Structures are given as structure tokens and as C-alpha cells.
Amino acid sequence: LIQYNFSGANGFFGIVSLENDPDDNDYVPDFVGKVGIQQGWGAAWLTVGVDQDNGGLTGLPGDTEFAVKAGLHYNVPGAPGSAFRLVGHYNSDPNSYQQQIGGSGWLASEWSVYAGYIHQFNPQVAAWIGAAYYDDVYVSPFLDGAPGWSTASSRDGFHVETGLTWEPVKNFEVRAEAVYTKVDNFDGTVSGFLRFTRSF
């Protein structure tokens, strides 16, 4: 990994990196670039990732593909810790920078959009809810009976998530999350976790 980070005036920032992808079939590195702004109101950013050989997903020589992600994070005035978030993602085809479908074994989709809200009730308790829509879900050959990855299966999907964090004492967090995911023509799945984290 070779990376350059820039932090400018008024919260502007940029990142450029060349990354080694062990799944690629040659020595040419992948490229990632990100630009954005972060201020008191929140943040906005744009990220581009170029996978110069996506064949690692199939074990065969691949093509150069890319992914683009744009996001907006807005802090709610007068409610410290509470915020809205909106994120959009586009994949040219399956690649190393594709957006995974939350809480499931599905790969990704051609494009997706996510919206969520987190509310900080007090310094110890926060809860959030979010949802994402996925268009043209990529389907593996194990599910579709195809010899390789399909690029646009014409299946759409969505997921809904909710969660809660509680910090009863300093540096000890209890986090619970539940996710429901549904893709056209397949049964919906429910996943989640309960995690205890102690920081030192």
C-alpha cells in the first residue's frame, strides 16, 4: 500500500492510494481516491476504487472494473451525537470495491442507496435505524447455476437494520444489532449480534 493523505483548510481532505490486490493475476496495483469535506455541520465525500483485474473473484483473468461511492453525513443541530446519513454506491461489475449487501451472504448489486438515522439519547445510550435498496443484485453460480458471476441478475433487494449501544461505564460498550435482508425470488434472512467491548 502506497498512500498520500491531504488535509486542507476549512475541513477539505483528500486521499490517493495504490493498493496491492493479492487476488489479481498480474502486478499492476489497484487505485483508490477519496475527496471530501468535514465541518461542524457534518461531512460529504466521494470515493472511487479501480480494480484493474477482477478475475480474483472467479480465479480466471478478469477485466478492469470500478466502484463509486458518495456520502452525506448531517449532524442534527441541538442534539449532539445524533445524525442523518445518506450513501449511494455504483459498481461497474463485481470487483474488489463493490458494496456488500448488509447482513447476508449476497455479494453486491450494480447500484444501491442507503439512508439511516442515529439518535443519541444521552451520553450512555444511542439507537439507530437504517434501510438500503439494491438494484440488479449480482448472483453467484451456486445460486443461479451459471458458470461465472452474473453482472446484472435483474433481481432487486433491500435490507432494514436497527441497533442499540449502551455504555454503562466508561470504556465498556454493549452493542446489539438486527438486520432483515430480502432479494427477489429468495427467502428473506434475519441476522444480528450482541457484542460486549472493553477498551483499555
Side-chain angles (χ1 to χ4, degrees):
L1 171 66
I2 301 174
Q3 185 176 88
Y4 174 75
N5 293 269
F6 169 80
S7 296
N10 299 320
F12 287 98
F13 64 88
I15 302 171
V16 176
S17 66
L18 299 177
E19 304 180 356
N20 175 53
D21 186 347
D23 293 326
D24 283 356
N25 293 295
D26 58 33
Y27 60 88
V28 180
D30 294 344
F31 168 84
V32 176
K34 182 177 184 179
V35 294
I37 182 172
Q38 185 169 9
Q39 298 180 338
W41 57 265
W45 64 92
L46 176 69
T47 306
V48 177
V50 178
D51 183 358
Q52 62 85 28
D53 180 359
N54 71 339
L57 297 173
T58 62
L60 301 173
D63 300 318
T64 298
E65 304 295 347
F66 68 93
V68 179
K69 178 186 288 187
L72 174 67
H73 181 98
Y74 177 69
N75 297 322
V76 178
S82 300
F84 290 97
R85 177 167 287 200
L86 181 66
V87 180
H89 196 109
Y90 173 78
N91 300 306
S92 62
D93 248 352
N95 64 80
S96 296
Y97 303 102
Q98 62 193 8
Q99 178 68 44
Q100 300 297 116
I101 294 182
S104 73
W106 294 91
L107 279 178
S109 62
E110 185 175 15
W111 65 266
S112 65
V113 60
Y114 170 86
Y117 172 70
I118 183 170
H119 187 79
Q120 191 77 41
F121 292 96
N122 56 52
Q124 290 76 40
V125 179
W128 70 90
I129 186 170
Y133 172 79
Y134 305 94
D135 181 78
D136 281 342
V137 175
Y138 301 145
V139 179
S140 80
F142 302 104
L143 295 174
D144 244 10
W149 303 104
S150 62
T151 56
S153 68
S154 298
R155 292 187 175 93
D156 299 333
F158 69 91
H159 91 256
V160 179
E161 63 184 31
T162 185
L164 176 73
T165 59
W166 175 42
E167 189 175 357
V169 296
K170 185 177 180 180
N171 297 327
F172 178 70
E173 181 189 80
V174 181
R175 178 181 293 258
E177 181 173 318
V179 181
Y180 175 77
T181 305
K182 180 71 171 67
V183 175
D184 290 347
N185 301 326
F186 289 91
D187 294 335
T189 61
V190 177
S191 61
F193 63 83
L194 176 64
R195 185 171 65 203
F196 301 88
T197 304
R198 176 71 169 93
S199 302
F200 298 92

